[in-house]
Amino acid sequence: MPGSPGARGLSGSRAPPASPRSARPSRGAGRAAPAGRGHRAARGARRRPRGGAASGAGPGAAAAGTPGREAARRPDRRATHCAGRTAEGRAPGSGGRRPGGMAAAALGAAWRALRPASGLLGARPTQTGDARRRASLLSFWGLVPTRAEPLRKKKKVDPKKDQAAKERLKKRIRRLEKATQELIPIEDFITPVKFLNQARQRPPVELPFEESERRALLLKKWSLYKQREHELERAAIASLLEAQREALQELELTAPELHAEATKRDSSLFPFERQGPDYTPPIANYQPPEGRYQDITKVYTQVEFKR
Amino acid sequence: MAAPTRRTVLGLARCWRRFESPWSLGSRSLTLAAAPSNSASPWRLMGALCLQRPPLVSKQLTPMQEEMAALQQQMEIERSLYSDHELRALDEAEQLEKKKSDLYEEKDEKNILLVQDLEDMWEQKFLQFKPGARITDADVKNDRSSLHRKLDRNLILLVKDKLGDQDVWMLPQAEWQPGETLRQTAERTLATLSENNLEAKFLGNAPCGHYKFKFPQAVRAEGSLGAKIFFFKALLLTGDFSPAVEKGRHVWASKEELGDYLKPKYLAQVRRFLLDL
C-alpha cells in the first residue's frame, strides 16, 4: 500500500513517544501507534477548539490549575477516541483512571457505550479481540507493524541458551577441524584452460630418416658421456673423502684431543647459501633500468588447526 | 735417509711448549692446553689454509654438450603447444596471404605493430646490451695474481714463504699454538695474510687433507723430527689482496697450474682434495 511505508515510518517514529502517554501498559504498545495517531489527530484536531475551550474554560477551570486541565484533556481525548472506535474494547479500569471534573460525564457516557462491546468480548479470549483489532488496523494502514515489544527482563533460561549456541558453534568448528584440510594448490600442475584449445596444437612433424637416425645415435652417445661423467664425479668424491679420512687418522695419532675437536659438528656451517655461477660475470657500475614491478604471486596460507 | 722434500728451519732455539699444562676438555675455544707429556710425538703441527675462489661463470660447453643442448631445444619445441606470440604470427601470416590474393576486404588496420616488427625490436635491444666478458683481460695477460681471471674455475691461493734458505711456494700455513684448535690456526693464517681484507667461509671443523715430512738431518733437533701440515678448506666470500702488497708473493692458481708452483709430493697430496672443476 502506498501509504503504508509512510505510515509505518510515522508510526515507528511516533510509537515510543506514544507509549508513555497511553497509560495502558497491560494492553501493550501495540495499540500505542494508532492510538498515538489517534491521539495526535485528535489532539491536533482538537487543539484549536481545546485551546478555545481552554481559553473559554480558562477562567472556569483556573482554579483547577494546569494539572487539572491536563488531566481533563486526557480523559477528554480518550472519551472522544473511545467514542470514535466502537469496535475497540477497552479495559474497564483504564477509562476511569483519571476522572476529571469536566469530562467525567462524557467519560461515563463513553464507558457505558462501550461496555456492551466489552461485555461481548469479555467472555471470549483476547486473541479474537486482537484479530478484530488487527483487521481493522490493517484496513487503515495496511501492513503497519503493530508489535513493538517493550524491553523484556533477562530470564534465567537465557544464559543457558547462549551457552547452547556457543556449544553448537564449537561443535561446528571441531567438525571442520576433523575434516581433511584443503591443500594449497600447485599452480604448475593445473593446466590453464586456454591451453586446451585445439587451435594451439602443432601439426605433427614427420622427421626424415637421417634426422631420426642422427637423433638416436646422439642420444646413445650422450648416455655414455653422462655415465663417464658420473663415474669421474664419484671418483673425485671418493678421493676427497679418502684424503679427509687419512688426515683425521693422522691427527688422531698425533693429537687425540685435536682430533676430538676436529670431529665435532660445526653449527655455523648450515644453513649454507651461495649464488651459483651465471653465464656472464656481473658488469661493474651497471645502471639497472628505472621502474617498479608489482609482485602478483598468489600467497596461500594453510592454518594448522591444533586441537 | 732419503733427501727430504723440504728444508725447514723452524727455530732450534724455539722450545716447544706442547707438553706443559694438562688438557682440559670441555668448551671448545681457547681452553685447550697442551698434550700430556708424551715425548713420543716430536712432530710439529701446522694448520694450513686452502682458500678457494669459487667460479663466477659457468663452464664452456663441450661440443658433445652443445649438440645435445641443441637437440633438446628442438625436441621441446616440437612437443610444445603454440604460444600466444606464435598464434599471433600465424594469424598475421594468413592475413598477409589474403591481402596478396586480392580477395581481401579493406578492414580497419588495428594492428599496426606486426609480429615481425616486435621481433626486430627485441633483436635490436638485445644487440645493444653488452654483457660482461667471460674471458677477462687478466686471462689475456695471464696475470696470475689477479682474482678476476679464469672465471669458470676454482682458484686456489698460493704464497711464497721463506723456509730455511729457500723460497718455497705452498699453501699459506701457520704453526699451531697450544690453546687453539687447528681450524683456529687456519683462521689465524687467513687473518695474517691480508690484515682482515679477505673474508672466507670455512667448510667444517675437520681437515680436508694432510701432508707430513721430516726435516733434513741438519735441521732436526731434539723435539722436532718433522712437521705435519693439516689443510682446511675455505671458500672466499669477499675481499682481495690490496694492490700495495708486494707482487710475486701470492698467486691465484687453478688446479692445472698448481704443478707450476708446488713440489711434487706436496702437489700429489693437495690434488687429492681438490675437485677437478
Side-chain angles (χ1 to χ4, degrees):
Chain A
M1 287 191 65
S4 47
R8 215 181 293 130
L10 280 168
S11 64
S13 61
R14 286 192 183 171
S19 45
R21 284 219 179 83
S22 72
R24 288 186 295 278
S26 60
R27 202 52 72 180
R31 273 195 290 119
R37 200 152 223 239
H39 275 282
R40 289 287 158 86
R43 225 188 303 130
R46 296 284 177 288
R47 200 147 277 169
R48 268 172 266 110
R50 212 183 296 123
S55 59
T66 335
R69 213 179 293 142
E70 287 275 340
R73 273 198 212 117
R74 260 189 243 111
D76 192 25
R77 277 201 307 276
R78 210 174 288 126
T80 47
H81 185 62
C82 294
R85 309 210 179 164
T86 50
E88 292 180 341
R90 299 253 168 219
S94 58
R97 211 158 273 169
R98 288 187 190 80
M102 254 179 21
L107 188 65
W111 169 240
R112 263 172 260 121
L114 283 169
R115 214 197 277 167
S118 64
L120 271 170
L121 291 169
R124 288 180 211 169
T126 31
Q127 275 95 2
T128 42
D130 274 339
R132 281 202 196 177
R133 258 175 264 127
R134 225 169 275 133
S136 66
L137 288 169
L138 280 168
S139 63
F140 279 117
W141 8 74
L143 299 160
V144 168
T146 63
R147 298 155 60 77
E149 297 178 352
L151 297 164
R152 224 190 280 166
K153 248 191 254 180
K154 269 282 182 191
K155 295 177 197 168
K156 282 183 192 171
V157 193
D158 279 345
K160 276 191 189 170
K161 275 192 192 171
D162 287 338
Q163 265 196 331
K166 276 183 205 167
E167 280 296 311
R168 264 180 264 134
L169 271 175
K170 278 184 198 168
K171 200 175 176 184
R172 214 176 286 169
I173 290 168
R174 257 178 262 144
R175 249 188 242 152
L176 279 173
E177 285 172 24
K178 277 184 196 169
T180 48
Q181 277 193 319
E182 206 180 288
L183 300 171
I184 297 172
I186 302 172
E187 302 284 340
D188 292 339
F189 292 177
I190 305 166
T191 321
V193 181
K194 69 173 184 176
F195 292 130
L196 301 173
N197 187 5
Q198 196 60 28
R200 288 210 185 234
Q201 296 282 341
R202 251 175 236 272
V205 61
E206 289 113 22
L207 292 172
F209 175 71
E210 292 87 14
E211 179 63 24
S212 63
E213 281 290 304
R214 178 194 82 95
R215 285 189 185 188
L217 283 170
L218 182 58
L219 287 168
K220 291 194 178 193
K221 274 193 266 178
W222 178 251
S223 74
L224 197 63
Y225 172 83
K226 281 305 256 187
Q227 187 193 27
R228 287 195 186 131
E229 196 182 51
H230 186 243
E231 288 297 320
L232 286 172
E233 275 179 18
R234 272 182 48 183
I237 292 170
S239 146
L240 269 168
L241 288 175
E242 185 60 28
Q244 190 173 54
R245 195 190 60 80
E246 281 184 17
L248 282 170
Q249 204 178 39
E250 198 66 44
L251 188 58
E252 195 171 6
L253 291 174
T254 325
E257 295 77 11
L258 289 176
H259 169 84
E261 282 295 317
T263 45
K264 277 186 192 168
R265 193 169 289 202
D266 183 15
S267 53
S268 65
L269 182 59
F270 294 114
F272 180 68
E273 280 182 11
R274 211 175 71 77
Q275 295 296 317
D278 304 312
Y279 187 67
T280 52
I283 303 169
N285 308 323
Y286 177 63
Q287 298 292 328
E290 294 264 335
R292 282 190 201 166
Y293 67 93
Q294 281 176 341
D295 200 1
I296 54 167
T297 38
K298 291 186 191 170
V299 178
Y300 296 94
T301 44
Q302 194 171 43
V303 183
E304 276 291 321
F305 286 111
K306 283 183 189 154
R307 295 181 199 176
Chain B
M1 134 129 234
T5 54
R6 299 184 155 259
R7 278 193 206 139
T8 54
V9 174
L10 298 163
L12 298 170
R14 258 187 261 168
C15 61
W16 203 12
R17 284 191 165 68
R18 235 183 126 209
F19 307 125
E20 276 196 3
S21 42
W23 284 106
S24 59
L25 300 172
S27 61
R28 40 192 2 255
S29 54
L30 300 170
T31 55
L32 285 173
S37 45
N38 176 13
S39 52
S41 84
W43 296 93
R44 301 183 65 135
L45 289 180
M46 322 283 268
L49 172 68
C50 174
L51 186 61
Q52 289 183 310
R53 187 224 62 189
L56 291 175
V57 143
S58 57
K59 280 188 91 169
Q60 192 71 29
L61 294 176
T62 62
M64 166 66 108
Q65 283 175 333
E66 295 250 4
E67 227 181 302
M68 193 59 197
L71 174 62
Q72 279 178 334
Q73 181 77 359
Q74 210 180 345
M75 284 170 75
E76 199 177 303
I77 291 172
E78 281 169 17
R79 289 177 191 173
S80 69
L81 296 172
Y82 282 131
S83 66
D84 293 336
H85 181 80
E86 282 184 315
L87 281 177
R88 192 174 151 183
L90 288 171
D91 287 339
E92 283 179 12
E94 270 184 50
Q95 280 183 8
L96 277 173
E97 290 280 320
K98 278 191 197 169
K99 261 194 194 174
K100 280 183 194 170
S101 63
D102 296 331
L103 299 170
Y104 188 65
E105 302 109 33
E106 279 298 318
K107 275 192 224 173
D108 301 324
E109 285 291 321
K110 284 174 202 168
N111 305 2
I112 302 167
L113 206 59
L114 294 178
V115 157
Q116 201 58 43
D117 299 335
L118 274 174
E119 286 182 0
D120 289 336
M121 265 169 50
W122 295 338
E123 190 72 36
Q124 287 300 311
K125 219 172 180 183
F126 177 65
L127 290 171
Q128 277 171 11
F129 175 69
K130 293 276 174 282
R134 283 166 63 90
I135 299 175
T136 57
D137 296 337
D139 274 328
V140 173
K141 285 185 257 168
N142 201 13
D143 176 17
R144 295 213 173 159
S145 61
S146 156
L147 201 52
H148 208 65
R149 148 187 188 270
K150 286 219 170 172
L151 298 173
D152 58 342
R153 310 297 310 278
N154 268 332
L155 293 180
I156 301 142
L157 179 66
L158 297 177
V159 288
K160 203 171 196 180
D161 246 350
K162 210 170 177 85
L163 293 179
D165 310 327
Q166 291 179 358
D167 271 345
V168 176
W169 281 105
M170 59 180 173
L171 294 175
Q173 68 189 30
E175 177 143 15
W176 172 79
Q177 308 281 342
E180 64 178 5
T181 65
L182 279 169
R183 177 178 161 161
Q184 281 163 0
T185 316
E187 283 165 1
R188 189 161 53 89
T189 327
L190 179 68
T192 50
L193 267 179
S194 62
E195 289 91 35
N196 297 329
N197 260 353
L198 295 166
E199 273 176 30
K201 170 121 186 162
F202 276 83
L203 303 175
N205 284 333
C208 57
H210 77 290
Y211 177 69
K212 65 181 180 186
F213 62 96
K214 288 183 182 169
F215 299 144
Q217 287 285 356
V219 177
R220 261 182 237 182
E222 257 304 315
S224 58
L225 174 64
K228 289 188 184 178
I229 310 172
F230 291 94
F231 302 100
F232 286 85
K233 259 196 186 171
L235 290 180
L236 181 70
L237 294 171
T238 52
D240 192 3
F241 281 99
S242 53
V245 169
E246 183 193 330
K247 292 242 171 178
R249 304 301 297 184
H250 73 273
V251 139
W252 293 96
S254 64
K255 195 172 175 184
E256 306 92 28
E257 294 159 3
L258 287 179
D260 301 340
Y261 300 94
L262 302 177
K263 298 276 164 66
K265 284 200 181 175
Y266 191 82
L267 176 67
Q269 286 287 81
V270 164
R271 283 172 71 111
R272 284 175 72 195
F273 60 77
L274 289 178
L275 275 176
D276 198 7
L277 266 183

